[in-house]
Amino acid sequence: MSAVATPVSPMLVRLAAEKATGALLRDHGTLYLVDGRVVHAESPAAPGVDVLLTTGGRLPRENWDEAVDRAGAHRAVGRFLVDSGRLHDGELEICHLGAVFDAAFFALSPTSGPTRFRYGVGHWFGTVRPVSAEAVERETVRRRELLDAVWPYASVDTAPVVPRPAVPGQSVGVRQRALLAAADGERTPAELARILGRPAFHTLLDVRRLAAAGLVRTPLEPDSVPPAPAPLAAPQVTDPDIALLRRLRDALEAHL
């Protein structure tokens, strides 16, 4: 496996090279590997696949609970949802990959705490579509760069979202209007993501866009608003995992 220029997690790179199976535990989340590839991820900062499916309106909560009760011990919850007709294969794959990359973004955030790996540990959800560690690292870096390109002040990521009035003629999209409507001045972006049933990263991105537009209060106002960045050029890559990320990103944005 070729490495990214500066690995987000050197341990993840090493485990991928070893084709290790187990759980990589970090301060902000956990990545689950099978034969060196990422098969699941979870983080307290990101809604799980259950929230994305149930709060998002695709799956009744009782169907999710039934799947966990009947298939969790066998690490086959995802497979049960498809085999029982609750979800189509494509729906499960898109939702699960979205949850994996969302949680991995936070799990791989900079930390000063210890990073541990527990060999042989699996997750009760089961394997849906393994993704290379390199693809997870690249997507994490891409997301960091995108957030900073939109609004390079991370203070809004964890502060309560406080809407500000729009200026005459200023408008926002449907997704951002829903976010502002749910913002009560006390809920953080992570809390809003759970309430709305949306990935946490996409919620952060919307909050930063709203901050750049002056539509939410920022905890620490910059001296001046930075100029709008130039559009990011799409990298020319042939890695099939990167092509998958592009399709996943387009699918998620189409449904948000």
Side-chain angles (χ1 to χ4, degrees), residues 34-101:
V34 172
D35 296 330
R37 295 171 71 84
V38 178
V39 297
H40 195 75
E42 55 189 13
S43 169
V49 65
D50 60 326
V51 174
L52 298 181
L53 285 171
T54 60
T55 304
R58 178 57 189 87
L59 189 72
R61 186 74 205 190
E62 55 268 25
N63 287 355
W64 172 266
D65 292 339
E66 178 192 13
V68 174
D69 290 341
R70 296 182 60 180
H74 305 290
R75 297 181 183 175
V77 172
R79 191 70 261 155
F80 179 88
L81 289 170
V82 173
D83 291 345
S84 63
R86 278 20 178 216
L87 293 174
H88 298 299
D89 269 312
E91 290 178 306
L92 175 65
E93 185 174 307
I94 288 174
C95 184
H96 183 253
L97 282 174
V100 166
F101 285 116

Side-chain angles (χ1 to χ4, degrees), residues 10 12 53 56 78 86 103 106 128 138 163 173 183 204 231 240:
L12 177 60
L53 285 171
R86 278 20 178 216
F106 296 97
V128 177
R138 286 186 180 182
L204 286 186

